[in-house]
Amino acid sequence: MNDIPVAQILKRGEGAGAPETVVLDYDGRFLRRKRLVAESGLAFVVDLEKTTSLDDGDALELGDGRLVAVRAAAEEVLEIRGPLARLAWHIGNRHTPCQILDDHLVIQRDPVIRHMLEHVGAEVREAVRPFAPEGGAYGHGRTHSHEHGHTAHAH
């Protein structure tokens, strides 16, 4: 790892036109220190000051000034339609990350949450697409990051 580039700077929304791209799923975009490989094969290490949620379109700046664009990978999700306010309440009540669009909601595939949503009147369809849920209410990008630190918790 003598000559492996290191990225210590995150540039929000500056990934357009970057010469390198790294594609990460939702879980992979939550990191502090990790070795990544860009689509070109360039290996590099991310070494951020604190655990950070990266968004599609962000850029990581390598020590030599090159930028690596962050892209959200396609992943297995559920598209949810129906009475959106009510369905969003049920999803939020279970602390499930949720992408909110004008005509539907998107969550990661979860058979238990799917069953619950169908039980309360949702139309649920499986899809494979990038997942970019709403950030946390405290500006940290992930639900609960204001009080739960680096650990995930499931319900």
Side-chain angles (χ1 to χ4, degrees):
M1 278 181 58
N2 294 351
D3 294 332
I4 191 164
V6 177
Q8 294 181 302
I9 298 170
L10 172 63
K11 296 188 167 225
R12 293 285 183 194
E14 295 187 28
E20 301 283 349
T21 301
V22 65
V23 180
L24 302 168
D25 66 11
Y26 176 66
D27 292 333
R29 293 192 315 270
F30 191 58
L31 54 89
R32 189 192 86 67
R33 182 168 169 74
K34 187 172 185 177
R35 182 182 182 275
L36 298 176
V37 178
E39 288 187 312
S40 68
L42 171 72
F44 64 101
V45 171
V46 176
D47 186 16
L48 301 173
E49 183 177 319
K50 61 185 178 181
T51 303
T52 303
S53 181
L54 308 180
D55 296 324
D56 184 75
D58 286 346
L60 295 161
E61 184 177 329
L62 302 177
D64 63 7
R66 284 181 293 169
L67 295 180
V68 178
V70 175
R71 293 288 171 241
E75 54 190 295
E76 296 181 343
V77 297
L78 298 175
E79 296 178 341
I80 301 147
R81 289 177 171 73
L84 296 186
R86 181 170 188 245
L87 297 171
W89 183 88
H90 282 286
I91 291 167
N93 192 45
R94 281 142 187 95
H95 304 286
T96 300
C98 181
Q99 184 173 356
I100 301 170
L101 302 164
D102 289 340
D103 62 346
H104 68 284
L105 307 172
V106 181
I107 63 171
Q108 291 173 309
R109 281 195 197 167
D110 180 320
V112 174
I113 300 294
R114 179 184 186 148
H115 177 76
M116 179 272 303
L117 290 168
E118 289 172 335
H119 184 74
V120 297
E123 174 192 324
V124 181
R125 183 176 73 94
E126 293 183 0
V128 177
R129 61 187 268 185
F131 180 57
E134 294 292 314
Y138 296 88
H140 299 289
R142 298 284 171 134
T143 304
H144 297 305
S145 63
H146 64 283
E147 62 185 3
H148 295 286
H150 302 269
T151 60
H153 84 225
H155 293 281

